Amino acid sequence: MGQHILPGNPPVEVNLKRSARARRISLRVSGIDGRVTLTLPRGVSEREAMAFAREKAAWLRGHLDRRAPVVEVGIGARLPVEGIERDLRPGAGRGLRLTDEALLVSGDPTTAGRRAGAWLKALARDRLAAASDLYAQRLGRSYARLTLRDTRSRWGSCTADGGLMYSWRLVLAPPEVLSYVAAHEVAHLAEMNHSPAFWQAVERIHGPYKAQRAWLRQNGAALHAYRFD
């Protein structure tokens, strides 16, 4: 249905969506990227819906203010790599190099953010492939393929034909969190549900997982604050 601007300080972009299943107007703020969605039931006008949004303006801006600020990644920025905060610094020679304190990026500083993002995606693929191989072996199942995306609604998925998908941003999280997500998705190769049998499979191939799951719930949204364009 398009976008509307809720006036105020600051103005807020509101995305309108009509749903035949909705019974009332609802306003939602994505915990991932801060996108504001105003859902309208059938028969409700856009004017009425925006009036509802104006009534909720204080609540809406409060939620947006609590979000982690966007970080444009470039030389001088600070970002987590495998759970450790690092500075993005100019590097010598070619390519990128990770140290205990920094991610060193050589070459043109104006493209450092984009190249850092590409390097992190490659590192994520290596880490997730290794973890998936390990847990698939423990489970006694094989997967068909592994793909990476920049997903907003989930950290991973498993298809009925054995395809594993992960968010590459898991490489920003501590390694044990990445490993948990890999075990979670691999366990779906045996149990395509979240039944007690599924969680038993996760614990069997991974070990205790509740701390890692809680970390994602508490901190996962912040991993989407980093922009590498």
Side-chain angles (χ1 to χ4, degrees):
M1 293 182 62
Q3 297 172 338
H4 290 248
I5 300 298
L6 185 66
N9 186 22
V12 176
E13 184 179 282
V14 179
N15 298 275
L16 270 63
K17 181 180 75 172
R18 194 173 295 280
S19 170
R21 294 182 297 176
R23 297 186 176 181
R24 56 186 176 83
I25 302 173
S26 65
L27 189 63
R28 184 176 67 84
V29 180
S30 170
I32 302 288
D33 58 8
R35 181 182 175 90
V36 178
T37 302
L38 184 61
T39 302
L40 290 67
R42 185 177 297 169
V44 173
S45 69
E46 293 186 14
R47 177 178 294 183
E48 184 180 351
M50 288 305 297
F52 176 86
R54 287 192 293 272
E55 291 176 1
K56 301 293 184 181
W59 171 88
L60 180 59
R61 288 191 171 87
H63 272 267
L64 292 172
D65 287 346
R66 289 193 290 272
R67 289 184 60 245
V70 171
V71 177
E72 298 291 345
V73 176
I75 297 299
R78 191 167 176 82
L79 74 158
V81 181
E82 297 191 309
I84 300 174
E85 291 288 328
R86 329 258 183 166
D87 296 317
L88 204 69
R89 299 175 185 170
R94 292 185 174 184
L96 286 80
R97 185 166 63 89
L98 189 66
T99 72
D100 290 342
E101 297 179 350
L103 178 58
L104 305 176
V105 186
S106 63
D108 184 356
T110 64
T111 64
R114 177 173 53 80
R115 288 185 291 123
W119 185 87
L120 287 165
K121 290 173 186 177
L123 181 63
R125 177 171 290 278
D126 288 346
R127 298 292 192 261
L128 286 161
S132 298
D133 289 347
L134 171 65
Y135 295 126
Q137 182 180 22
R138 290 181 180 177
L139 187 67
R141 301 289 183 98
S142 59
Y143 60 92
R145 62 192 174 279
L146 187 153
T147 58
L148 298 184
R149 296 178 186 168
D150 193 7
T151 49
R152 300 289 175 176
S153 59
R154 59 180 63 187
W155 294 106
S157 64
C158 177
T159 62
D161 65 348
L164 301 179
M165 184 284 296
Y166 299 105
S167 167
W168 70 264
R169 290 178 184 268
L170 285 165
V171 78
L172 304 177
E176 60 271 21
V177 173
L178 179 148
S179 294
Y180 156 68
V181 175
H184 182 117
E185 300 310 332
V186 166
H188 280 309
L189 295 170
E191 298 286 344
M192 287 294 290
N193 50 57
H194 288 98
S195 65
F198 165 79
W199 292 110
Q200 288 168 10
V202 174
E203 189 155 17
R204 186 173 75 253
I205 63 176
H206 176 272
Y209 59 82
K210 290 184 179 179
Q212 293 86 347
R213 191 181 181 204
W215 190 97
L216 267 181
R217 288 179 172 176
Q218 294 168 11
N219 305 287
L223 303 183
H224 290 275
Y226 298 94
R227 300 288 181 266
F228 295 85
D229 300 331

